[in-house]
Amino acid sequence: MASFSNPDSTLSYTILRIPVDTSQLIELSAKFRDTKLAALQAEPTGFAVKFEEEILHPLSLWQQRLSAPSTILVCLAEYGVGKGEGTDEERLLAQEWVGMGTIRGPLTYAMFHLPESGQPIPENPELETRWHFCNLYTSAAHRGRGLAKRLNIAALEYAREQTRALEGGDHMKARIRLFMNPEKVWLVNIYKGMEFKEAGKCTLGEAFVANGDAELVPKDTVSSEELRGKWNRRYGLAMERIVEV
Ligand SMILES: CC(C)(COP(=O)(O)OP(=O)(O)OC[C@H]1O[C@@H](n2cnc3c(N)ncnc32)[C@H](O)[C@@H]1OP(=O)(O)O)[C@@H](O)C(=O)NCCC(=O)NCCS
């Protein structure tokens, strides 16, 4: 958990992970869904998935998205007296979610590697863990305050912590990858500033699978020019960073 204050107010931000071994999983899944749907409405081009499709999913799919290998990081905005009190579940249910990100892993080499993407091939896959970071979002009213950066750092820290906990993990490294729209040059530059390096090109189909949404890829992605262009064009930029644990 990481907490940090906004210097001008009683507002402070905290990043928590959504727990899955909780009796309040249904309520947390519903809040996760509602926050993501609001984000999709506010930012239609910010994600691989679209609001019109996401709103149709049953709550069970949102619940499944909270479970391994996915971990959801939430940035809470907490105000006034009593902020920071209560269990993680109580705080997550009571406070406003102003940022989110998903870290998925550790992933097997077969799940992670995309043979046609041009991504780097590790010397020894046994000596690293593999992670995919996706769905990064902060709400417009709270942007420009470093929250996206904090969510990124929390994801890197989670990958480190989980790797260290593995047998022999102290001697391993963690490889964290993300995909993005290459047109967002400023975002590419931010990640470069955070020591991420360009690591190949992905298709929308590969992005859905990496994000944990394999079941949402249509069975037919090749029978028309339109389908091929949508699902198989190698357009998304992959970036990755390898961290010591
Ligand atoms: C991208 C996004 C997460 C950034 O959130 P944020 O909380 O404003 O980011 P931060 O405050 O942590 O800013 C990090 C850096 O990005 C810069 N930045 C943020 N938004 C920017 C913009 N629109 N244009 C240029 N630079 C920008 C900040 O100045 C900061 O740079 P610095 O470290 O040199 O000061 C947010 O705009 C968003 O949710 N967009 C919609 C969804 C999306 O595109 N997600 C990314 C998917 S890969």
Side-chain angles (χ1 to χ4, degrees):
M1 181 182 84
S3 292
F4 34 97
S5 295
N6 181 335
D8 301 329
S9 73
T10 59
L11 165 63
S12 60
Y13 297 107
T14 299
I15 294 176
L16 295 179
R17 299 168 193 164
I18 302 184
V20 282
D21 52 346
T22 165
S23 59
Q24 286 166 308
L25 193 55
I26 302 282
E27 293 85 345
L28 288 166
S29 305
K31 190 156 179 179
F32 172 56
R33 174 196 60 197
D34 295 347
T35 307
K36 181 66 187 277
L37 289 176
L40 282 163
Q41 276 188 303
E43 212 70 51
T45 61
F47 304 91
V49 294
K50 300 285 165 236
F51 175 83
E52 297 71 27
E53 291 154 11
E54 289 289 288
I55 197 168
L56 303 175
H57 301 322
L59 190 59
S60 56
L61 185 129
W62 295 91
Q63 193 171 323
Q64 184 191 314
R65 283 176 172 170
L66 301 185
S67 59
S70 295
T71 296
I72 314 297
L73 304 169
V74 175
C75 182
L76 294 183
E78 295 180 293
Y79 299 85
V81 180
K83 66 185 176 188
E85 287 174 8
T87 63
D88 286 2
E89 284 95 327
E90 284 164 353
R91 292 169 75 187
L92 282 162
L93 288 171
Q95 309 293 343
E96 187 188 359
W97 297 13
V98 296
M100 290 202 293
T102 302
I103 176 89
R104 305 192 76 237
L107 302 170
T108 62
Y109 186 68
M111 279 171 85
F112 184 83
H113 188 61
L114 304 170
E116 291 168 36
S117 68
Q119 85 184 112
I121 296 178
E123 270 176 37
N124 185 350
E126 302 289 315
L127 294 180
E128 63 177 37
T129 55
R130 287 158 291 272
W131 305 81
H132 184 74
F133 185 54
C134 53
N135 295 325
L136 177 64
Y137 176 77
T138 59
S139 62
H142 296 266
R143 286 188 189 156
R145 298 180 183 183
L147 302 186
K149 241 178 184 165
R150 299 275 186 168
L151 282 159
N152 259 299
I153 291 166
L156 293 174
E157 193 40 52
Y158 179 73
R160 278 197 183 99
E161 178 194 303
Q162 296 293 310
T163 304
R164 274 198 300 271
L166 296 173
E167 201 183 325
D170 284 348
H171 304 292
M172 296 174 91
K173 293 180 180 178
R175 184 185 293 262
I176 295 100
R177 177 187 69 193
L178 45 90
F179 296 152
M180 74 185 75
N181 180 344
E183 282 169 26
K184 293 188 178 175
V185 176
W186 57 272
L187 197 55
V188 176
N189 288 334
I190 290 165
Y191 280 116
K192 283 186 179 163
M194 293 182 72
E195 297 175 52
F196 280 80
K197 294 195 169 36
E198 293 190 14
K201 292 279 174 68
C202 70
T203 66
L204 185 63
E206 288 168 345
F208 267 59
V209 174
N211 293 357
D213 287 328
E215 72 273 29
L216 303 183
V217 179
K219 285 205 170 56
D220 175 13
T221 61
V222 294
S223 68
S224 71
E225 195 62 41
E226 193 190 344
L227 282 171
R228 286 192 293 276
K230 176 170 179 185
W231 292 100
N232 299 311
R233 188 162 63 109
R234 213 156 269 293
Y235 177 72
L237 176 66
M239 296 187 82
E240 64 178 32
R241 177 177 167 184
I242 299 171
V243 294
E244 304 284 338
V245 306

